[in-house]
Every structure is written in structure tokens, then in C-alpha cells.
């Protein structure tokens, strides 16, 4: 290169000499052509090498007086940099026309995924401010589809304060998708382990408790029969019945939950009258509510037909009914209502019970979180019923949630898709 500089300088000096011979001029002209051809070959070699690489390569000049304004890095018309070089792969990855891009490099900002634009701009400002490598991963919209891009470049400061950035660009969508799949699988494994732990915990502790009570009370009952103590016989027989009902409810939940998780439970939606199933269930709980002097009030339409799996919806109502009575203080009230709103049927079961702490509400419908508390008469529970409710409601494309205030009771809601015509509401 030094020889080339000397040759050019010598050529210019000779041009200023009037006595320059024609043959010497011709010689310099040939040398110039040789140099130009050599430079052309080097450029072609460089371009060929750059375009053969399986990643995007770029070089840009960032103007020091505009690079620290974050808004400039989101501007598609007046960017704080010029593109000095990009290879073919860079343009292919982002589906850019090289000529258009080099004239208006700001069009790349329009490709950045909206939610990632702020971080993209912030990272650029930070890198130029501190003269540290720019490393960023984010999403671009290319051909109407999101792809993941990884930028990595290093700075070189020029005398005038401008910065030359040379770096690479890679499409990392496959890697990101694989990471997402792994994260999803890990989450699924976490849920499966939580389900296994929950299942074993219920079998080991919660299911054993009512059976222990039944066995213990049965022994006492045998003694009272021998003594013909009718008052205590009646009392212990009621205790045994309550423990048996709790054990049976828990067994039902366990069986249905296990069938649901293993895919053995068939989803059989049919057309049926919702008011009828609510009335049937409320009759089953009249005695239990009566023992605590709890009033059951129903605000129901004359009739409202749904297309759903009757057994699943029955399980949902049974669990919500049972919980409402369990956590309502003696003398309280449980209100069940149904209303059609827009495209949904909204069910609600309101109690005047103890309420739920805000921090605990988030745990109610999660298998990987443990939430269980005793009722107002020390009734026990596992939390499995609400998890089952969520599973069954979501199978119907519905939603389930709760509103609660400690000391002022709770209202559990769930929805089912609605089609049939709605009739006037009555209070029972």
C-alpha cells in the first residue's frame, strides 16, 4: 500500500513537469489501471467472503451529536447513523432491499416489534454513551411474522467523535422456539409433580382423617348401643354420617380429577335445564345447611337451557355449594343466582362467611399451591374441589373467579357460553 501511495504521488508530481515524455505518461497510466484492477479484485474478494458467511454483517457510522437521543433510535426517517456496509445475509434475514435500506437505514426501526422498541432504543443509547459492545435480542416483524434477532457489535471511536460500529446479526428464532418448548415442558413437569404431590397428600392425610373418625365413632357407637344410650347413639350416628359424606365427596373429587387428568373422563355435552340441577343440589344440602341454621336463597330464571356436560357442571355446583355452607357462620345465608349476560350465563354462589385473604385468592385454583382451611364448624377440606371446578369450567370455554372480603363473605362466579333465550327471573 505504501508503494501505491508513492507511485501516485510520483505520478502527480510528474504531471506537473512540462517536459514529461509521452512514454512515461503511458507507463503511469498502465500502473494506475493495474492498481485499480487490484483494488477491484480485493473488493470482490471481500464481498464474496462477507456474502458467503451464514450471518448478517454490518458496519455503520453513528453521529456523535445525535446518538444519545433515544427518540432518534425509533425514528424511521432521520436516524443517527449511516449504513456503510451490509452483506447479502443481513438483507435476506430482514427481507430488506439493499439499495433502499442504504438510502434510508431508518426503515429497520419500523420492523422492530412494538413491545421491544423501547429496549432497542435504550440499549443503543447506552452502548454509544459508554462505548461498550452492543448486544441485544428482540423480535422483528418480517413478512408479517415475528422472528427473533440477535445483534452483537463493537465500537471504534473516530477523531471527530463519530463511532464506527461493526457487528453481526443472526436469526435466532429456532433457538428461542426451542427454549420456549423447554420452558413449557418444564412447566408441565412442574404441574405434574405438583399434581402427584397433591394426590399423595390427599390420600395420605385428608382421606385418612374421615375414615379414622368413622372407625373411632363406630366403636363408641357399639358401646353406646350396648348401654342403650339413645341420645348419644343418635349424636354419634350423625357424626358418622357427616364423616362418611365428607369421605364420599372427597372420593368423588379424587376419582373425577384422576379421570380428568388421565384423559379417561369423556366430555358429553347435552341440552338440559339449569334450574332443575340447581334445585336438586340445594335439596341435598338442605339438611347440612339446616344444622347450621343457614338459609339457602335462590335467584333463578323460570327456565334456562344450557348445552354442557351435566356431570361436570353438577360437580362444580356441588363443590361451590359445599364450600359456601362450610365457611358460612351459623345463622348466615347462601345465595345462588343465574343470569344471562351478552353471550354468557353467569352463575354466582354468595355466602356470608369468613371471607378469604387477598394473598390466598391467587392460590385457590392452582394445583401447585396449597390452600386449605377449616370451616366454621371445623369442617375439613383439601382445595382439590376448586381445582376440579376450574378444570371443568374451562373445558366448557368458561371462566371461574372469586370476589371476597375477610369477614364479609365470598362470591364465587363461573360462566358458560349462552345461546338459548332468557326468561324472567324469580326469587325462591
Amino acid at each position: 500500500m505504501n508503494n501505491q501511495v508513492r507511485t501516485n504521488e510520483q505520478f502527480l508530481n510528474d504531471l506537473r513537469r512540462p517536459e514529461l515524455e509521452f512514454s512515461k505518461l503511458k507507463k503511469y497510466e498502465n500502473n494506475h489501471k493495474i492498481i485499480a484492477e487490484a483494488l477491484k479484485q480485493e473488493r470482490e474478494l471481500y464481498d464474496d467472503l462477507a456474502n458467503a458467511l451464514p450471518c448478517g454483517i454490518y458496519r455503520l457510522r453513528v453521529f456523535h451529536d445525535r446518538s444519545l437521543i433515544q427518540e432518534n433510535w425509533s425514528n424511521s426517517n432521520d436516524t443517527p447513523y449511516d449504513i456503510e456496509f451490509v452483506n447479502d445475509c443481513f438483507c435476506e434475514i430482514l427481507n430488506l432491499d439493499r439499495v433502499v435500506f442504504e438510502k434510508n437505514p431508518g426503515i429497520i426501526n419500523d420492523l422492530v416489534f412494538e413491545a421491544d422498541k423501547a429496549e432497542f432504543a435504550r440499549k443503543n443509547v447506552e452502548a454509544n454513551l459508554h462505548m461498550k459492545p452492543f448486544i441485544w435480542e428482540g423480535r422483528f416483524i418480517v413478512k408479517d411474522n415475528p422472528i427473533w434477532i440477535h445483534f452483537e457489535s463493537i465500537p471504534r471511536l473516530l477523531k471527530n467523535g463519530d463511532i464506527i460500529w461493526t457487528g453481526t446479526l443472526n436469526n435466532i428464532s429456532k433457538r428461542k422456539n426451542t427454549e420456549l418448548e423447554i420452558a413449557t415442558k418444564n412447566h408441565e413437569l412442574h404441574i405434574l409433580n405438583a399434581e402427584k404431590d397433591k394426590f399423595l397428600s390427599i390420600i395420605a392425610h385428608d382421606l385418612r382423617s374421615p375414615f379414622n373418625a368413622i372407625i373411632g365413632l363406630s366403636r363408641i357407637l357399639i358401646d353406646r348401643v350396648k348401654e342403650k344410650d339413645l341420645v348419644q347413639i343418635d349424636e354419634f350416628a350423625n357424626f358418622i354420617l357427616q364423616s362418611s359424606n365428607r369421605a364420599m365427596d372427597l372420593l368423588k373429587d379424587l376419582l373425577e380429577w384422576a379421570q380428568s387428568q388421565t384423559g379417561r373422563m369423556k366430555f358429553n355435552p347435552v341440552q338440559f335445564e339449569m334450574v332443575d340441577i340447581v334445585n336438586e343440589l340445594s335439596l341435598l344440602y338442605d339438611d347440612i345447611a339446616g344444622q347450621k341454621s343457614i338459609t339457602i336463597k335462590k335467584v333463578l330464571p323460570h327456565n334456562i337451557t344450557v348445552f354442557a356436560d351435566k356431570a361436570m357442571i353438577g360437580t362444580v355446583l356441588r363443590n361451590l355449594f359445599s364450600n359456601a355452607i362450610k365457611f358460612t357462620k351459623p345463622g348466615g345465608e347462601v345465595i345462588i343466582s343465574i343470569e344471562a349476560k351478552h353471550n354468557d350465563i353467569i352463575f354466582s354462589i354468595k355466602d356470608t362467611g369468613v371471607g378469604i385473604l387477598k394473598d390466598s385468592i391467587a392460590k385457590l385454583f392452582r394445583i401447585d399451591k396449597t390452600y386449605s382451611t377449616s370451616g366454621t364448624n371445623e369442617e375439613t377440606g383439601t382445595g382439590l374441589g376448586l381445582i376440579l371446578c376450574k378444570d371443568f369450567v374451562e373445558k366448557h370455554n368458561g371462566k371461574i373467579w372469586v370476589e371476597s372480603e375477610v369477614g364479609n363473605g365470598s362470591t364465587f362466579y363461573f360462566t358458560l357460553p349462552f345461546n338459548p333465550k332468557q326468561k324472567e327471573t324469580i326469587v325462591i
Side-chain angles (χ1 to χ4, degrees):
M1 187 61 71
N2 288 334
N3 290 334
Q4 177 192 335
V5 172
R6 283 198 298 271
T7 301
N8 288 339
E9 287 178 353
Q10 186 179 356
F11 174 68
L12 291 172
N13 289 331
D14 287 345
L15 282 176
R16 299 186 186 100
R17 292 167 52 197
E19 67 274 14
L20 182 67
E21 296 177 3
F22 178 78
S23 60
K24 193 173 286 188
L25 180 62
K26 195 70 175 174
K27 177 184 174 184
Y28 282 120
E29 183 182 352
N30 291 336
N31 286 342
H32 181 72
K33 287 181 178 179
I34 292 170
I35 292 168
E37 183 64 28
L39 287 173
K40 180 183 176 185
Q41 289 177 3
E42 287 181 7
R43 176 69 185 191
E44 288 175 351
L45 180 63
Y46 173 78
D47 285 347
D48 184 63
L49 177 62
N51 291 326
L53 292 173
C55 66
I57 297 175
Y58 63 94
R59 172 185 162 120
L60 54 88
R61 178 188 293 263
V62 174
F63 308 118
H64 69 282
D65 56 337
R66 287 157 47 198
S67 64
L68 302 184
I69 302 172
Q70 190 160 316
E71 290 77 11
N72 288 348
W73 293 95
S74 301
N75 194 326
S76 60
N77 296 314
D78 186 23
T79 55
Y81 56 86
D82 273 344
I83 295 296
E84 294 191 344
F85 175 80
V86 290
N87 69 344
D88 290 345
C89 191
F90 186 102
C91 296
E92 289 167 6
I93 290 174
L94 298 182
N95 191 38
L96 292 170
D97 181 292
R98 181 194 297 273
V99 175
V100 174
F101 178 50
E102 288 176 348
K103 285 182 179 178
N104 180 20
I107 60 175
I108 195 173
N109 295 323
D110 293 334
L111 301 180
V112 181
F113 191 70
E114 193 63 38
D116 296 344
K117 283 186 176 180
E119 188 197 25
F120 180 70
R122 182 181 61 79
K123 284 268 191 177
N124 272 290
V125 171
E126 186 179 289
N128 282 280
L129 178 64
H130 300 293
M131 281 291 293
K132 64 180 187 179
F134 174 72
I135 300 172
W136 181 80
E137 288 183 359
R139 290 161 292 180
F140 275 57
I141 301 298
V142 177
K143 295 180 181 178
D144 297 325
N145 293 312
I147 65 170
W148 280 91
I149 294 295
H150 177 90
F151 276 101
E152 190 161 342
S153 58
I154 55 174
R156 178 164 57 89
L157 186 64
L158 302 180
K159 287 182 180 180
N160 68 350
D162 290 350
I163 305 171
I164 295 294
W165 287 91
T166 307
T168 59
L169 169 146
N170 285 281
N171 183 344
I172 58 169
S173 297
K174 286 184 179 179
R175 192 195 85 196
K176 282 291 184 179
N177 290 336
T178 301
E179 289 174 357
L180 181 61
E181 287 177 12
I182 292 172
T184 301
K185 292 295 182 185
N186 285 338
H187 178 69
E188 290 173 356
L189 286 172
H190 176 71
I191 296 296
L192 287 172
N193 282 329
E195 290 173 352
K196 178 201 70 177
D197 293 342
K198 186 83 171 179
F199 192 79
L200 293 176
S201 171
I202 290 170
I203 292 174
H205 301 98
D206 302 292
L207 192 57
R208 185 172 60 184
S209 296
F211 280 111
N212 284 339
I214 291 168
I215 293 169
L217 290 169
S218 296
R219 286 172 180 162
I220 297 172
L221 184 61
I222 291 170
D223 293 337
R224 294 298 178 267
V225 168
K226 290 177 182 176
E227 296 173 7
K228 297 182 180 179
D229 186 344
L230 297 181
V231 174
Q232 288 215 322
I233 287 173
D234 182 68
E235 182 181 343
F236 285 119
N238 277 318
F239 285 149
I240 290 171
L241 179 61
Q242 290 174 22
S243 294
S244 299
N245 284 332
R246 282 200 296 271
M248 181 57 71
D249 285 345
L250 181 53
L251 278 171
K252 285 180 182 177
D253 284 347
L254 278 171
L255 182 60
E256 289 175 341
W257 179 73
Q259 288 176 329
S260 172
Q261 298 306 305
T262 56
R264 293 198 300 267
M265 175 173 280
K266 293 182 179 179
F267 181 60
N268 293 317
V270 295
Q271 208 82 21
F272 65 92
E273 178 55 57
M274 200 66 222
V275 173
D276 292 343
I277 193 172
V278 171
N279 287 331
E280 289 170 12
L281 278 167
S282 67
L283 283 174
L284 291 176
Y285 286 94
D286 274 348
D287 287 342
I288 300 172
Q291 291 174 19
K292 296 175 71 173
S293 300
I294 293 172
T295 302
I296 296 178
K297 186 177 179 181
K298 292 171 284 183
V299 182
L300 307 173
H302 279 298
N303 54 64
I304 188 164
T305 304
V306 297
F307 185 70
D309 188 301
K310 193 172 184 178
M312 288 186 182
I313 299 306
T315 297
V316 173
L317 289 170
R318 172 173 59 81
N319 275 289
L320 296 181
F321 246 128
S322 176
N323 284 345
I325 293 168
K326 183 191 299 182
F327 294 106
T328 297
K329 294 177 181 178
E333 185 178 64
V334 171
I335 304 171
I336 179 168
S337 65
I338 304 175
E339 67 169 323
K341 193 172 183 180
H342 303 304
N343 295 321
D344 289 324
I345 303 171
I346 302 176
F347 301 79
S348 67
I349 297 181
K350 177 180 173 60
D351 63 56
T352 54
V354 295
I356 307 167
L357 292 168
K358 284 186 178 179
D359 292 344
S360 299
I361 288 177
K363 301 177 184 178
L364 290 180
F365 302 105
R366 292 182 58 177
I367 189 71
D368 57 334
K369 298 291 182 181
T370 300
Y371 179 79
S372 180
T373 184
S374 299
T376 53
N377 275 3
E378 298 304 315
E379 302 98 326
T380 58
T382 64
L384 181 62
L386 288 178
I387 295 165
L388 199 59
C389 289
K390 181 176 183 289
D391 189 22
F392 286 176
V393 168
E394 289 180 349
K395 282 185 187 297
H396 290 79
N397 295 318
K399 297 178 182 178
I400 186 167
W401 71 97
V402 61
E403 295 174 0
S404 185
E405 186 179 343
V406 174
N408 289 322
S410 305
T411 304
F412 281 82
Y413 300 89
F414 73 93
T415 66
L416 292 177
F418 176 61
N419 242 337
K421 47 193 176 185
Q422 167 71 12
K423 302 211 174 167
E424 66 176 298
T425 299
I426 58 172
V427 178
I428 301 175

